Amino acid sequence: MTRPRAASERFVAQLPTRTRSRVEVIYSPILEIKPLPISVDTNGVRGLIFTSANGVNAAVSLGLTRDMPAFCVGPATTGTAKGAGWDAQMVGATAEELVAFLLKHRPESPLLHLRGEHSRGNIATRLTESGLTVREQPVYQQRLLPLTSEVAVAAEGNVPVIAPLFSPRTARQFADIWVGSAPLWLAAISDATAEPLYSLDYARLKIAKEPTPKKMQKAVKKLVKHAMRVEGGETTD
């Protein structure tokens, strides 16, 4: 698992029990999330945009007020924002869907997009150019990390290694630092996340049908079953 530890543990806990029983989980976060030591000016802002749970958590740590609506991408981000006290609404599973929703419904603006230092989609620029004023503010940093020694050992073995990747940046990092001869089975949350992985010598690459935790769990479940079948383990159900 390459996500930050807490997010990885949540993902693993939501896998089917049968899937968890068939694998040994190695936690090796290759991205560290830290709130930036800044202050955020919300004066005049009529709503927030969250495209990740990391943005929500950073906003909480910075003490932002909860007295405005939050427009969110994906169920995990929306759930985190609701749990933190915002009137949060999921307006799409992707940044593209969020942009389309906001342009169609035109909520009161200006809005403020709270994001990481490295971000895709140019949400604020695109919305502002289309007449809906949106500011943006990086509120957390994403520091790349190496793989752990435990992964290095597994990479040199002959047991299949299944790696779920959840963002284009972590996928690029994984492709850059993966070294090993173990059969590599990859799950990508989106086409953009899959792109950097094509340079790797993998046994199989499965792209989630939708960029959601549930679809990624289904992709991992299928990879586990296929890997076991290929390696001569249990037959698939």
Side-chain angles (χ1 to χ4, degrees):
M1 292 302 302
T2 59
R3 305 180 86 185
R5 182 67 182 242
S8 288
E9 289 180 345
R10 283 195 302 271
F11 182 83
V12 171
Q14 291 166 356
L15 288 171
T17 302
R18 185 168 174 81
T19 301
R20 294 201 307 271
S21 71
R22 292 172 161 183
V23 299
E24 175 189 350
V25 181
I26 299 175
Y27 294 100
S28 178
I30 58 177
L31 196 68
E32 182 181 41
I33 305 298
K34 286 190 173 182
L36 289 168
I38 59 170
S39 60
V40 177
D41 181 12
T42 58
N43 186 39
V45 172
R46 307 306 296 270
L48 301 175
I49 296 174
F50 291 121
T51 47
S52 76
N54 295 324
V56 178
N57 293 330
V60 170
S61 71
L62 293 168
L64 265 67
T65 178
R66 316 295 206 272
D67 62 353
M68 63 183 77
F71 304 98
C72 304
V73 169
T77 303
T78 307
T80 303
K82 285 182 176 179
W86 273 282
D87 176 15
Q89 177 183 5
M90 177 175 159
V91 296
T94 65
E96 294 297 323
E97 292 178 2
L98 175 135
V99 169
F101 177 93
L102 293 176
L103 289 179
K104 178 180 179 181
H105 294 276
R106 301 274 171 173
E108 290 186 88
S109 61
L111 303 176
L112 178 62
H113 180 201
L114 299 175
R115 60 172 181 80
E117 285 184 318
H118 301 274
S119 180
R120 293 169 56 89
N122 298 318
I123 289 172
T125 300
R126 291 165 60 195
L127 288 171
T128 299
E129 288 176 348
S130 297
L132 183 66
T133 303
V134 177
R135 306 201 313 258
E136 61 181 350
Q137 174 69 62
V139 290
Y140 63 91
Q141 61 181 184
Q142 306 121 302
R143 188 166 71 90
L144 296 174
L145 302 173
L147 292 168
T148 64
S149 58
E150 190 177 3
V151 175
V153 172
E156 293 302 330
N158 55 16
V159 176
V161 174
I162 297 173
L165 283 310
F166 292 83
S167 74
R169 190 158 187 258
T170 52
R172 285 194 299 273
Q173 170 73 347
F174 184 83
D176 287 342
I177 63 180
W178 171 262
V179 178
S181 56
L184 186 59
W185 295 66
L186 301 169
I189 199 168
S190 65
D191 290 329
T193 301
E195 189 65 33
L197 303 175
Y198 292 128
S199 63
L200 292 169
D201 181 17
Y202 53 82
R204 186 160 186 157
L205 169 60
K206 186 166 186 61
I207 302 172
K209 291 184 178 180
E210 295 174 6
T212 64
K214 186 172 291 187
K215 295 299 184 184
M216 276 292 281
Q217 289 152 18
K218 186 170 288 189
V220 169
K221 176 184 174 182
K222 289 182 177 179
L223 285 180
V224 171
K225 291 173 68 176
H226 288 314
M228 294 189 71
R229 182 179 62 187
V230 170
E231 294 299 312
E234 301 175 35
T235 56
T236 56
D237 298 331

